Amino acid sequence: NAGVTQTPKFRVLKTGQSMTLLCAQDMNHEYMYWYRQDPGMGLRLIHYSVGEGTTAKGEVPDGYNVSRLKKQNFLLGLESAAPSQTSVYFCASSLPGGGLNHEQYFGPGTRLTVT
Amino acid sequence: AQSVTQLGSHVSVSEGALVLLRCNYSSSVPPYLFWYVQYPNQGLQLLLKYTTGATLVKGINGFEAEFKKSETSFHLTKPSAHMSDAAEYFCAVSYNDMRFGAGTRLTVKP
């Protein structure tokens, strides 16, 4: 099993450009999450999904959109990138049934720089 | 709402010395508590977790943590540090959602 994979691994954007980050998991997990990691701030939840076709806002959702059209995929979109969105983005997945309480499995991360 | 405070953004120990990484949580309900480790340029992986039951939890790579409700703490320890333990460690608390601490970077000196 590949676990949780993320593409791309690195990306540089200019202010105002758009992009989509793809997360895929092969563990048949119901729950998926997008986090951003910034120095000294730990991980902050952007959006999450408790199942196919369902998404919800996390702690820092502004400037991002997500979609979960297939159970195994969770997409994070930036419509108009800003320098404040320079960060490392992590996707994670977990089991259902109170899944927010369960162990989360993380992808390797995407390092995004917005100039 | 729950929150996590990790005391010390950077801890440095000598190889063979005790590792102690501190975590205090705030939660109005019984929490689920986790420690994750992040090696350079990698995602987070679970070290150990506390849900219910025994308050001393053993994890991978010789780490353990003790849940102390009276102190609202979940400190991570390892009796003898190895060079390979150098990484960033995150404490997390969960009830309705997962909240991570800011992280502690562990350096191990030869």
Side-chain angles (χ1 to χ4, degrees):
Chain A
N1 287 351
V4 180
T5 58
Q6 294 181 232
T7 52
K9 288 185 168 50
F10 302 95
R11 186 72 185 269
V12 178
L13 288 179
K14 294 187 188 302
T15 297
Q17 287 185 320
S18 63
M19 77 163 293
T20 300
L21 282 65
L22 172 64
C23 175
Q25 53 93 6
D26 61 3
M27 296 175 283
N28 202 34
H29 285 168
E30 288 291 335
Y31 288 34
M32 296 186 75
Y33 316 82
W34 275 107
Y35 291 92
R36 60 178 290 172
Q37 183 181 28
D38 302 292
M41 302 187 74
L43 275 76
R44 293 181 292 170
L45 183 65
I46 304 171
H47 286 279
Y48 65 97
S49 168
V50 299
E52 184 178 321
T54 303
T55 62
K57 294 180 180 179
E59 184 184 357
V60 289
D62 294 342
Y64 305 94
N65 57 77
V66 289
S67 64
R68 184 101 180 266
L69 298 179
K70 294 183 179 180
K71 184 178 183 179
Q72 63 268 35
N73 296 336
F74 195 28
L75 280 63
L76 177 71
L78 286 72
E79 289 188 349
S80 179
S84 60
Q85 295 177 303
T86 294
S87 188
V88 181
Y89 292 85
F90 287 99
C91 177
S93 69
S94 74
L95 291 169
L100 290 173
N101 296 337
H102 282 67
E103 173 187 353
Q104 295 181 18
Y105 296 78
F106 284 82
T110 295
R111 187 173 296 275
L112 175 65
T113 301
V114 183
T115 61
Chain B
Q2 56 268 15
S3 64
V4 175
T5 302
Q6 290 185 240
L7 298 175
S9 60
H10 187 201
V11 170
S12 181
V13 301
S14 297
E15 193 172 19
L18 171 72
V19 175
L20 171 61
L21 305 181
R22 299 177 186 274
C23 172
N24 287 89
Y25 69 91
S26 170
S27 177
S28 58
V29 294
Y32 297 91
L33 295 159
F34 303 80
W35 275 101
Y36 284 86
V37 60
Q38 184 182 30
Y39 298 104
N41 299 313
Q42 294 186 25
L44 280 69
Q45 55 184 279
L46 185 72
L47 266 182
L48 50 81
K49 63 183 176 183
Y50 170 79
T51 54
T52 59
T55 56
L56 183 62
V57 181
K58 294 186 185 301
I60 62 172
N61 301 335
F63 284 92
E64 61 183 35
E66 186 171 11
F67 170 60
K68 291 188 176 180
K69 185 177 178 181
S70 61
E71 299 178 8
T72 61
S73 68
F74 191 56
H75 302 331
L76 182 71
T77 60
K78 181 174 181 178
S80 176
H82 295 156
M83 297 295 292
S84 60
D85 294 328
E88 188 146 19
Y89 293 80
F90 292 93
C91 182
V93 61
S94 172
Y95 191 71
N96 289 321
D97 61 4
M98 183 87 83
R99 295 296 174 108
F100 289 84
T104 297
R105 183 169 300 279
L106 176 66
T107 301
V108 182
K109 298 176 291 186

Short mmCIF file of all heavy atoms in Angstrom, two decimals, chain A residues 42-110:
data_model
loop_
_atom_site.label_atom_id
_atom_site.label_comp_id
_atom_site.label_asym_id
_atom_site.label_seq_id
_atom_site.Cartn_x
_atom_site.Cartn_y
_atom_site.Cartn_z
N GLY A 42 2.69 24.81 14.54
CA GLY A 42 2.17 23.46 14.45
C GLY A 42 1.38 23.26 13.17
O GLY A 42 1.63 23.91 12.15
N LEU A 43 0.42 22.37 13.23
CA LEU A 43 -0.45 22.11 12.09
C LEU A 43 -1.81 22.74 12.35
O LEU A 43 -2.36 22.62 13.43
CB LEU A 43 -0.63 20.60 11.87
CG LEU A 43 0.44 19.91 11.06
CD1 LEU A 43 1.69 19.72 11.88
CD2 LEU A 43 -0.06 18.58 10.54
N ARG A 44 -2.32 23.38 11.33
CA ARG A 44 -3.65 23.98 11.44
C ARG A 44 -4.55 23.39 10.37
O ARG A 44 -4.18 23.32 9.20
CB ARG A 44 -3.56 25.50 11.32
CG ARG A 44 -2.85 26.16 12.49
CD ARG A 44 -2.80 27.68 12.33
NE ARG A 44 -1.94 28.06 11.22
CZ ARG A 44 -1.87 29.31 10.74
NH1 ARG A 44 -2.65 30.25 11.23
NH2 ARG A 44 -1.04 29.58 9.74
N LEU A 45 -5.74 23.00 10.78
CA LEU A 45 -6.67 22.34 9.89
C LEU A 45 -7.34 23.35 8.95
O LEU A 45 -7.91 24.34 9.40
CB LEU A 45 -7.73 21.61 10.71
CG LEU A 45 -8.76 20.78 9.96
CD1 LEU A 45 -8.09 19.61 9.24
CD2 LEU A 45 -9.83 20.27 10.92
N ILE A 46 -7.27 23.07 7.66
CA ILE A 46 -7.85 23.97 6.66
C ILE A 46 -9.29 23.54 6.37
O ILE A 46 -10.24 24.31 6.56
CB ILE A 46 -7.03 23.97 5.37
CG1 ILE A 46 -5.57 24.33 5.66
CG2 ILE A 46 -7.62 24.95 4.36
CD1 ILE A 46 -4.65 24.14 4.46
N HIS A 47 -9.44 22.34 5.85
CA HIS A 47 -10.74 21.75 5.57
C HIS A 47 -10.64 20.25 5.85
O HIS A 47 -9.54 19.69 5.85
CB HIS A 47 -11.14 21.93 4.09
CG HIS A 47 -11.56 23.31 3.71
ND1 HIS A 47 -12.81 23.81 3.95
CD2 HIS A 47 -10.87 24.29 3.07
CE1 HIS A 47 -12.89 25.05 3.47
NE2 HIS A 47 -11.73 25.36 2.93
N TYR A 48 -11.78 19.63 6.01
CA TYR A 48 -11.79 18.19 6.15
C TYR A 48 -13.04 17.61 5.51
O TYR A 48 -13.95 18.35 5.12
CB TYR A 48 -11.69 17.78 7.62
CG TYR A 48 -12.85 18.19 8.48
CD1 TYR A 48 -13.88 17.31 8.77
CD2 TYR A 48 -12.90 19.47 9.05
CE1 TYR A 48 -14.94 17.68 9.57
CE2 TYR A 48 -13.96 19.85 9.85
CZ TYR A 48 -14.97 18.97 10.12
OH TYR A 48 -16.02 19.35 10.92
N SER A 49 -13.05 16.30 5.39
CA SER A 49 -14.17 15.61 4.75
C SER A 49 -14.45 14.33 5.51
O SER A 49 -13.53 13.57 5.83
CB SER A 49 -13.82 15.28 3.30
OG SER A 49 -14.77 14.39 2.76
N VAL A 50 -15.72 14.10 5.80
CA VAL A 50 -16.10 12.88 6.51
C VAL A 50 -16.68 11.83 5.56
O VAL A 50 -17.18 10.79 6.01
CB VAL A 50 -17.08 13.17 7.66
CG1 VAL A 50 -16.42 14.09 8.68
CG2 VAL A 50 -18.38 13.75 7.15
N GLY A 51 -16.61 12.09 4.28
CA GLY A 51 -17.06 11.10 3.31
C GLY A 51 -17.15 11.71 1.93
O GLY A 51 -17.11 12.94 1.76
N GLU A 52 -17.28 10.82 0.95
CA GLU A 52 -17.39 11.26 -0.43
C GLU A 52 -18.52 12.26 -0.59
O GLU A 52 -19.63 12.05 -0.10
CB GLU A 52 -17.65 10.02 -1.31
CG GLU A 52 -17.70 10.28 -2.79
CD GLU A 52 -17.91 8.98 -3.55
OE1 GLU A 52 -17.33 7.95 -3.17
OE2 GLU A 52 -18.69 9.00 -4.53
N GLY A 53 -18.20 13.39 -1.25
CA GLY A 53 -19.20 14.41 -1.51
C GLY A 53 -19.46 15.35 -0.35
O GLY A 53 -20.32 16.24 -0.46
N THR A 54 -18.74 15.19 0.75
CA THR A 54 -18.96 16.02 1.94
C THR A 54 -17.68 16.70 2.37
O THR A 54 -16.63 16.04 2.46
CB THR A 54 -19.45 15.15 3.12
OG1 THR A 54 -20.65 14.47 2.73
CG2 THR A 54 -19.74 16.01 4.34
N THR A 55 -17.74 18.02 2.60
CA THR A 55 -16.57 18.74 3.10
C THR A 55 -17.01 19.71 4.19
O THR A 55 -18.20 20.07 4.28
CB THR A 55 -15.85 19.53 1.99
OG1 THR A 55 -16.74 20.52 1.47
CG2 THR A 55 -15.40 18.61 0.87
N ALA A 56 -16.07 20.13 4.99
CA ALA A 56 -16.36 21.07 6.08
C ALA A 56 -15.14 21.94 6.34
O ALA A 56 -14.01 21.54 6.03
CB ALA A 56 -16.76 20.32 7.34
N LYS A 57 -15.39 23.12 6.91
CA LYS A 57 -14.31 24.05 7.19
C LYS A 57 -13.60 23.68 8.48
O LYS A 57 -14.22 23.24 9.44
CB LYS A 57 -14.86 25.48 7.31
CG LYS A 57 -15.42 26.02 6.01
CD LYS A 57 -15.95 27.43 6.20
CE LYS A 57 -16.51 27.97 4.90
NZ LYS A 57 -17.05 29.35 5.07
N GLY A 58 -12.29 23.90 8.47
CA GLY A 58 -11.50 23.73 9.67
C GLY A 58 -11.20 25.06 10.32
O GLY A 58 -12.01 25.99 10.28
N GLU A 59 -10.01 25.14 10.86
CA GLU A 59 -9.62 26.32 11.63
C GLU A 59 -9.26 27.51 10.75
O GLU A 59 -9.53 28.66 11.10
CB GLU A 59 -8.41 25.93 12.50
CG GLU A 59 -7.91 26.99 13.45
CD GLU A 59 -6.65 26.51 14.18
OE1 GLU A 59 -6.23 25.35 13.99
OE2 GLU A 59 -6.08 27.33 14.94
N VAL A 60 -8.64 27.26 9.58
CA VAL A 60 -8.16 28.34 8.71
C VAL A 60 -8.58 28.11 7.26
O VAL A 60 -7.76 27.92 6.37
CB VAL A 60 -6.61 28.48 8.81
CG1 VAL A 60 -6.20 29.06 10.14
CG2 VAL A 60 -5.93 27.13 8.58
N PRO A 61 -9.87 28.19 6.95
CA PRO A 61 -10.35 27.83 5.62
C PRO A 61 -10.27 28.93 4.56
O PRO A 61 -10.37 28.64 3.36
CB PRO A 61 -11.82 27.50 5.89
CG PRO A 61 -12.19 28.41 7.02
CD PRO A 61 -10.96 28.51 7.88
N ASP A 62 -10.08 30.18 4.99
CA ASP A 62 -10.19 31.29 4.04
C ASP A 62 -9.11 31.22 2.97
O ASP A 62 -7.93 31.05 3.26
CB ASP A 62 -10.12 32.63 4.79
CG ASP A 62 -11.32 32.84 5.70
OD1 ASP A 62 -12.33 32.15 5.49
OD2 ASP A 62 -11.24 33.69 6.59
N GLY A 63 -9.54 31.40 1.71
CA GLY A 63 -8.61 31.39 0.59
C GLY A 63 -8.42 30.01 -0.04
O GLY A 63 -7.67 29.88 -1.00
N TYR A 64 -9.10 29.01 0.53
CA TYR A 64 -8.97 27.64 0.04
C TYR A 64 -10.34 27.05 -0.27
O TYR A 64 -11.33 27.39 0.38
CB TYR A 64 -8.30 26.74 1.08
CG TYR A 64 -6.96 27.22 1.58
CD1 TYR A 64 -6.87 27.99 2.74
CD2 TYR A 64 -5.79 26.90 0.90
CE1 TYR A 64 -5.65 28.42 3.21
CE2 TYR A 64 -4.56 27.32 1.37
CZ TYR A 64 -4.51 28.09 2.52
OH TYR A 64 -3.30 28.51 2.99
N ASN A 65 -10.38 26.15 -1.24
CA ASN A 65 -11.57 25.35 -1.47
C ASN A 65 -11.17 23.90 -1.62
O ASN A 65 -10.00 23.59 -1.93
CB ASN A 65 -12.34 25.84 -2.70
CG ASN A 65 -11.48 25.83 -3.95
OD1 ASN A 65 -11.24 24.78 -4.53
ND2 ASN A 65 -11.01 26.99 -4.36
N VAL A 66 -12.10 23.00 -1.38
CA VAL A 66 -11.80 21.57 -1.42
C VAL A 66 -12.92 20.84 -2.13
O VAL A 66 -14.05 21.33 -2.23
CB VAL A 66 -11.62 20.96 -0.01
CG1 VAL A 66 -10.32 21.42 0.63
CG2 VAL A 66 -12.81 21.27 0.87
N SER A 67 -12.59 19.65 -2.61
CA SER A 67 -13.62 18.78 -3.18
C SER A 67 -13.26 17.33 -2.91
O SER A 67 -12.07 16.95 -2.89
CB SER A 67 -13.78 19.02 -4.67
OG SER A 67 -12.61 18.69 -5.37
N ARG A 68 -14.28 16.53 -2.71
CA ARG A 68 -14.10 15.09 -2.44
C ARG A 68 -15.09 14.34 -3.33
O ARG A 68 -16.12 13.86 -2.89
CB ARG A 68 -14.39 14.80 -0.96
CG ARG A 68 -14.14 13.34 -0.58
CD ARG A 68 -12.85 13.17 0.13
NE ARG A 68 -12.62 11.78 0.48
CZ ARG A 68 -12.93 11.25 1.66
NH1 ARG A 68 -13.52 11.99 2.59
NH2 ARG A 68 -12.67 9.98 1.91
N LEU A 69 -14.75 14.27 -4.61
CA LEU A 69 -15.64 13.63 -5.58
C LEU A 69 -15.52 12.11 -5.51
O LEU A 69 -16.48 11.40 -5.82
CB LEU A 69 -15.33 14.13 -6.98
CG LEU A 69 -15.53 15.64 -7.20
CD1 LEU A 69 -15.18 16.03 -8.63
CD2 LEU A 69 -16.96 16.04 -6.87
N LYS A 70 -14.35 11.63 -5.13
CA LYS A 70 -14.13 10.20 -4.96
C LYS A 70 -13.63 9.96 -3.55
O LYS A 70 -12.91 10.78 -2.98
CB LYS A 70 -13.12 9.68 -5.97
CG LYS A 70 -13.55 9.74 -7.41
CD LYS A 70 -12.47 9.13 -8.30
CE LYS A 70 -12.89 9.15 -9.75
NZ LYS A 70 -11.84 8.55 -10.63
N LYS A 71 -13.96 8.82 -3.00
CA LYS A 71 -13.58 8.52 -1.63
C LYS A 71 -12.09 8.58 -1.43
O LYS A 71 -11.61 9.03 -0.39
CB LYS A 71 -14.10 7.13 -1.26
CG LYS A 71 -13.85 6.72 0.17
CD LYS A 71 -14.44 5.36 0.44
CE LYS A 71 -14.26 4.96 1.89
NZ LYS A 71 -14.86 3.63 2.16
N GLN A 72 -11.31 8.16 -2.43
CA GLN A 72 -9.88 8.06 -2.23
C GLN A 72 -9.13 9.36 -2.48
O GLN A 72 -7.95 9.44 -2.21
CB GLN A 72 -9.30 6.96 -3.12
CG GLN A 72 -9.44 7.20 -4.61
CD GLN A 72 -10.72 6.59 -5.19
OE1 GLN A 72 -11.75 6.56 -4.51
NE2 GLN A 72 -10.65 6.12 -6.41
N ASN A 73 -9.82 10.38 -3.01
CA ASN A 73 -9.14 11.62 -3.37
C ASN A 73 -9.72 12.81 -2.63
O ASN A 73 -10.93 12.92 -2.44
CB ASN A 73 -9.24 11.89 -4.87
CG ASN A 73 -8.54 10.84 -5.71
OD1 ASN A 73 -7.64 10.17 -5.24
ND2 ASN A 73 -8.96 10.69 -6.95
N PHE A 74 -8.84 13.73 -2.28
CA PHE A 74 -9.26 14.97 -1.61
C PHE A 74 -8.42 16.10 -2.19
O PHE A 74 -7.20 16.08 -2.08
CB PHE A 74 -9.05 14.85 -0.10
CG PHE A 74 -9.75 15.88 0.73
CD1 PHE A 74 -10.91 16.50 0.31
CD2 PHE A 74 -9.24 16.23 1.98
CE1 PHE A 74 -11.56 17.43 1.10
CE2 PHE A 74 -9.88 17.17 2.78
CZ PHE A 74 -11.05 17.77 2.33
N LEU A 75 -9.05 17.02 -2.88
CA LEU A 75 -8.36 18.09 -3.59
C LEU A 75 -8.43 19.40 -2.81
O LEU A 75 -9.49 19.75 -2.27
CB LEU A 75 -8.97 18.30 -4.98
CG LEU A 75 -8.54 17.35 -6.09
CD1 LEU A 75 -8.95 15.92 -5.81
CD2 LEU A 75 -9.10 17.80 -7.42
N LEU A 76 -7.32 20.09 -2.79
CA LEU A 76 -7.26 21.41 -2.15
C LEU A 76 -6.93 22.43 -3.23
O LEU A 76 -5.92 22.31 -3.92
CB LEU A 76 -6.18 21.45 -1.07
CG LEU A 76 -5.97 22.80 -0.37
CD1 LEU A 76 -7.17 23.12 0.53
CD2 LEU A 76 -4.68 22.79 0.45
N GLY A 77 -7.78 23.46 -3.36
CA GLY A 77 -7.59 24.46 -4.38
C GLY A 77 -7.29 25.83 -3.81
O GLY A 77 -7.82 26.21 -2.76
N LEU A 78 -6.40 26.53 -4.51
CA LEU A 78 -6.15 27.93 -4.20
C LEU A 78 -6.55 28.71 -5.45
O LEU A 78 -5.96 28.52 -6.52
CB LEU A 78 -4.66 28.18 -3.92
CG LEU A 78 -4.07 27.73 -2.59
CD1 LEU A 78 -3.93 26.21 -2.53
CD2 LEU A 78 -2.74 28.40 -2.35
N GLU A 79 -7.57 29.52 -5.35
CA GLU A 79 -8.08 30.22 -6.54
C GLU A 79 -7.22 31.41 -6.92
O GLU A 79 -7.02 31.70 -8.09
CB GLU A 79 -9.52 30.67 -6.29
CG GLU A 79 -10.51 29.51 -6.26
CD GLU A 79 -11.95 29.98 -6.21
OE1 GLU A 79 -12.17 31.20 -6.00
OE2 GLU A 79 -12.85 29.14 -6.39
N SER A 80 -6.70 32.12 -5.93
CA SER A 80 -5.88 33.31 -6.18
C SER A 80 -4.82 33.35 -5.08
O SER A 80 -5.06 33.89 -4.00
CB SER A 80 -6.75 34.56 -6.16
OG SER A 80 -5.94 35.71 -6.37
N ALA A 81 -3.68 32.76 -5.38
CA ALA A 81 -2.66 32.57 -4.34
C ALA A 81 -2.13 33.89 -3.81
O ALA A 81 -1.97 34.88 -4.55
CB ALA A 81 -1.51 31.74 -4.89
N ALA A 82 -1.84 33.90 -2.50
CA ALA A 82 -1.27 35.06 -1.83
C ALA A 82 0.01 34.63 -1.10
O ALA A 82 0.13 33.46 -0.72
CB ALA A 82 -2.27 35.63 -0.83
N PRO A 83 0.95 35.55 -0.91
CA PRO A 83 2.19 35.19 -0.19
C PRO A 83 1.93 34.58 1.18
O PRO A 83 2.72 33.74 1.64
CB PRO A 83 2.92 36.53 -0.08
CG PRO A 83 2.47 37.30 -1.29
CD PRO A 83 1.01 36.93 -1.45
N SER A 84 0.81 34.95 1.83
CA SER A 84 0.49 34.38 3.14
C SER A 84 0.16 32.89 3.07
O SER A 84 0.08 32.22 4.11
CB SER A 84 -0.70 35.12 3.76
OG SER A 84 -1.83 35.00 2.92
N GLN A 85 -0.03 32.39 1.87
CA GLN A 85 -0.30 30.96 1.70
C GLN A 85 0.96 30.14 1.45
O GLN A 85 0.89 28.93 1.24
CB GLN A 85 -1.32 30.75 0.58
CG GLN A 85 -2.69 31.33 0.91
CD GLN A 85 -3.69 31.19 -0.20
OE1 GLN A 85 -3.46 31.65 -1.34
NE2 GLN A 85 -4.82 30.55 0.08
N THR A 86 2.10 30.79 1.50
CA THR A 86 3.37 30.07 1.48
C THR A 86 3.44 29.20 2.72
O THR A 86 3.34 29.70 3.85
CB THR A 86 4.55 31.05 1.45
OG1 THR A 86 4.54 31.76 0.21
CG2 THR A 86 5.87 30.32 1.63
N SER A 87 3.58 27.90 2.53
CA SER A 87 3.51 26.98 3.65
C SER A 87 3.83 25.57 3.16
O SER A 87 4.05 25.34 1.97
CB SER A 87 2.09 27.01 4.25
OG SER A 87 2.02 26.27 5.45
N VAL A 88 3.84 24.64 4.10
CA VAL A 88 3.90 23.23 3.76
C VAL A 88 2.51 22.66 4.03
O VAL A 88 1.97 22.85 5.13
CB VAL A 88 4.96 22.47 4.56
CG1 VAL A 88 4.99 21.01 4.14
CG2 VAL A 88 6.33 23.10 4.36
N TYR A 89 1.95 21.99 3.04
CA TYR A 89 0.60 21.46 3.15
C TYR A 89 0.64 19.95 3.31
O TYR A 89 1.31 19.25 2.55
CB TYR A 89 -0.21 21.85 1.91
CG TYR A 89 -0.48 23.33 1.85
CD1 TYR A 89 0.46 24.19 1.29
CD2 TYR A 89 -1.64 23.86 2.37
CE1 TYR A 89 0.24 25.56 1.26
CE2 TYR A 89 -1.87 25.23 2.34
CZ TYR A 89 -0.93 26.06 1.78
OH TYR A 89 -1.16 27.43 1.75
N PHE A 90 -0.10 19.47 4.29
CA PHE A 90 -0.18 18.04 4.55
C PHE A 90 -1.61 17.57 4.42
O PHE A 90 -2.55 18.20 4.92
CB PHE A 90 0.33 17.71 5.96
CG PHE A 90 1.81 17.82 6.10
CD1 PHE A 90 2.38 18.95 6.65
CD2 PHE A 90 2.64 16.79 5.67
CE1 PHE A 90 3.75 19.06 6.77
CE2 PHE A 90 4.02 16.90 5.80
CZ PHE A 90 4.57 18.03 6.35
N CYS A 91 -1.74 16.43 3.79
CA CYS A 91 -3.00 15.73 3.73
C CYS A 91 -2.93 14.56 4.71
O CYS A 91 -1.85 13.99 4.94
CB CYS A 91 -3.24 15.22 2.31
SG CYS A 91 -4.74 14.26 2.10
N ALA A 92 -4.07 14.20 5.28
CA ALA A 92 -4.12 13.06 6.19
C ALA A 92 -5.45 12.35 6.01
O ALA A 92 -6.42 12.92 5.48
CB ALA A 92 -3.94 13.50 7.64
N SER A 93 -5.51 11.11 6.46
CA SER A 93 -6.76 10.36 6.42
C SER A 93 -6.89 9.55 7.70
O SER A 93 -5.91 9.32 8.41
CB SER A 93 -6.81 9.45 5.20
OG SER A 93 -5.88 8.38 5.31
N SER A 94 -8.12 9.14 7.99
CA SER A 94 -8.35 8.33 9.19
C SER A 94 -9.59 7.48 9.01
O SER A 94 -10.38 7.67 8.08
CB SER A 94 -8.48 9.21 10.43
OG SER A 94 -9.72 9.89 10.44
N LEU A 95 -9.75 6.56 9.94
CA LEU A 95 -10.91 5.69 9.94
C LEU A 95 -12.16 6.46 10.31
O LEU A 95 -12.08 7.55 10.89
CB LEU A 95 -10.68 4.56 10.95
CG LEU A 95 -9.59 3.55 10.57
CD1 LEU A 95 -9.26 2.67 11.75
CD2 LEU A 95 -10.03 2.73 9.37
N PRO A 96 -13.34 5.91 10.04
CA PRO A 96 -14.59 6.58 10.39
C PRO A 96 -15.03 6.28 11.81
O PRO A 96 -14.27 5.72 12.58
CB PRO A 96 -15.57 5.97 9.38
CG PRO A 96 -15.06 4.57 9.21
CD PRO A 96 -13.56 4.68 9.30
N GLY A 97 -16.23 6.65 12.10
CA GLY A 97 -16.82 6.32 13.39
C GLY A 97 -16.20 7.10 14.50
O GLY A 97 -15.58 6.55 15.41
N GLY A 98 -16.37 8.43 14.45
CA GLY A 98 -15.66 9.26 15.42
C GLY A 98 -14.26 9.45 14.93
O GLY A 98 -13.33 9.60 15.69
N GLY A 99 -14.11 9.46 13.62
CA GLY A 99 -12.79 9.50 13.02
C GLY A 99 -11.94 10.67 13.42
O GLY A 99 -10.74 10.61 13.40
N LEU A 100 -12.58 11.74 13.81
CA LEU A 100 -11.79 12.88 14.25
C LEU A 100 -11.02 12.55 15.52
O LEU A 100 -10.09 13.26 15.88
CB LEU A 100 -12.69 14.10 14.48
CG LEU A 100 -13.27 14.71 13.20
CD1 LEU A 100 -14.29 15.78 13.55
CD2 LEU A 100 -12.17 15.29 12.34
N ASN A 101 -11.39 11.52 16.16
CA ASN A 101 -10.68 11.11 17.37
C ASN A 101 -9.59 10.09 17.11
O ASN A 101 -8.88 9.73 18.02
CB ASN A 101 -11.66 10.49 18.37
CG ASN A 101 -12.69 11.50 18.84
OD1 ASN A 101 -12.43 12.69 18.78
ND2 ASN A 101 -13.81 11.02 19.28
N HIS A 102 -9.52 9.63 15.89
CA HIS A 102 -8.65 8.50 15.62
C HIS A 102 -7.30 8.93 15.06
O HIS A 102 -7.12 10.04 14.59
CB HIS A 102 -9.31 7.54 14.63
CG HIS A 102 -10.33 6.67 15.26
ND1 HIS A 102 -11.51 7.16 15.76
CD2 HIS A 102 -10.37 5.35 15.47
CE1 HIS A 102 -12.21 6.17 16.26
NE2 HIS A 102 -11.54 5.05 16.08
N GLU A 103 -6.39 7.97 15.06
CA GLU A 103 -5.07 8.19 14.50
C GLU A 103 -5.19 8.65 13.05
O GLU A 103 -5.96 8.08 12.28
CB GLU A 103 -4.28 6.90 14.55
CG GLU A 103 -2.94 6.96 13.82
CD GLU A 103 -2.26 5.61 13.75
OE1 GLU A 103 -2.76 4.66 14.37
OE2 GLU A 103 -1.23 5.51 13.06
N GLN A 104 -4.44 9.64 12.69
CA GLN A 104 -4.42 10.13 11.33
C GLN A 104 -3.13 9.71 10.64
O GLN A 104 -2.06 9.70 11.24
CB GLN A 104 -4.56 11.66 11.31
CG GLN A 104 -5.91 12.12 11.84
CD GLN A 104 -6.09 13.61 11.82
OE1 GLN A 104 -5.38 14.34 11.11
NE2 GLN A 104 -7.04 14.10 12.58
N TYR A 105 -3.27 9.35 9.36
CA TYR A 105 -2.14 8.93 8.54
C TYR A 105 -1.82 10.07 7.58
O TYR A 105 -2.70 10.52 6.85
CB TYR A 105 -2.48 7.66 7.78
CG TYR A 105 -2.74 6.47 8.67
CD1 TYR A 105 -3.95 6.32 9.33
CD2 TYR A 105 -1.75 5.50 8.85
CE1 TYR A 105 -4.17 5.24 10.16
CE2 TYR A 105 -1.98 4.41 9.68
CZ TYR A 105 -3.19 4.29 10.33
OH TYR A 105 -3.41 3.23 11.16
N PHE A 106 -0.56 10.49 7.59
CA PHE A 106 -0.17 11.69 6.85
C PHE A 106 0.56 11.38 5.56
O PHE A 106 1.31 10.41 5.47
CB PHE A 106 0.72 12.57 7.73
CG PHE A 106 -0.03 13.32 8.78
CD1 PHE A 106 -0.37 12.71 9.98
CD2 PHE A 106 -0.41 14.64 8.57
CE1 PHE A 106 -1.08 13.40 10.95
CE2 PHE A 106 -1.12 15.33 9.54
CZ PHE A 106 -1.45 14.71 10.73
N GLY A 107 0.37 12.26 4.59
CA GLY A 107 1.17 12.24 3.38
C GLY A 107 2.50 12.94 3.61
O GLY A 107 2.74 13.50 4.68
N PRO A 108 3.37 12.95 2.59
CA PRO A 108 4.72 13.51 2.75
C PRO A 108 4.77 15.02 2.67
O PRO A 108 5.81 15.62 2.97
CB PRO A 108 5.49 12.88 1.58
CG PRO A 108 4.44 12.63 0.55
CD PRO A 108 3.19 12.29 1.30
N GLY A 109 3.69 15.66 2.26
CA GLY A 109 3.66 17.12 2.23
C GLY A 109 3.92 17.72 0.86
O GLY A 109 4.56 17.10 0.00
N THR A 110 3.41 18.93 0.69
CA THR A 110 3.67 19.75 -0.50
C THR A 110 4.20 21.09 -0.04
O THR A 110 3.54 21.77 0.76
CB THR A 110 2.40 19.98 -1.33
OG1 THR A 110 1.94 18.74 -1.86
CG2 THR A 110 2.66 20.96 -2.48
#
